[in-house]
Amino acid sequence: MRRLTVLYDADCPLCVHLRHWLLRQRQLVPLDLVPAGSQEARRRFPDLDHATTLREITVVGDRGQVYRATAAWIVCLWALAEHRPKAHWLATPAGQPFARMTVLAAAKWREALKGPEEGPGGSPGADGCGDGRCEVPGPPR
């Protein structure tokens, strides 16, 4: 594998933070970070289900391999010099539960940040988060 494309949700604060983190790491395999559902993503991968890429991290290899959710995170770590050994461990039967729990926790946090897709009564935005850009909650007072 010579290159990976990471499709991330550009409207998700957690996803954008992780994008910046990935870019700061030393990469053994170059990562192209492309907003999921964007024109660029659709141009590069016309046969991909782009609605799904907005719901879960998706990584596409240079030979058409598609990784989603937990496998996508593991392959991202595998591409990074300092995290490749951890990726190998996370791919083992002993490490897979940890990888799965981490991805599930991130998904829950992401869901809390973005808020519900529809407000009360089914109307988008009635809860103040209809644009999908809810603020990170502050510490309890």
Side-chain angles (χ1 to χ4, degrees), residues 2 23 68 74 112 134:
R2 293 187 179 140
L23 289 172
R68 297 188 192 281
I74 291 172
C134 298

Side-chain angles (χ1 to χ4, degrees), residues 14 101-115:
L14 175 61
M101 286 187 322
T102 302
V103 169
L104 289 173
K108 287 285 187 187
W109 195 52
R110 179 177 180 254
E111 187 177 302
L113 286 174
K114 289 190 88 169

Side-chain angles (χ1 to χ4, degrees), residues 18-70:
L18 291 170
R19 173 195 181 272
H20 292 301
W21 180 82
L22 286 168
L23 289 172
R24 288 191 309 268
Q25 306 303 306
R26 188 165 63 88
Q27 300 173 5
L28 297 173
V29 176
L31 299 174
D32 294 330
L33 289 111
V34 175
S38 67
Q39 287 182 336
E40 179 64 13
R42 292 175 192 282
R43 183 189 66 75
R44 288 185 185 203
F45 311 109
D47 296 331
L48 203 57
D49 177 356
H50 291 279
T52 299
T53 67
L54 286 165
R55 288 191 300 273
E56 61 187 9
I57 183 174
T58 303
V59 177
V60 182
D62 55 4
R63 294 188 180 170
Q65 316 91 313
V66 177
Y67 305 91
R68 297 188 192 281
T70 305

Side-chain angles (χ1 to χ4, degrees), residues 82-115:
E82 293 184 30
H83 299 282
R84 186 169 275 187
K86 179 64 74 180
H88 284 291
W89 181 77
L90 289 170
T92 68
Q96 285 177 353
F98 293 99
R100 231 180 343 271
M101 286 187 322
T102 302
V103 169
L104 289 173
K108 287 285 187 187
W109 195 52
R110 179 177 180 254
E111 187 177 302
L113 286 174
K114 289 190 88 169

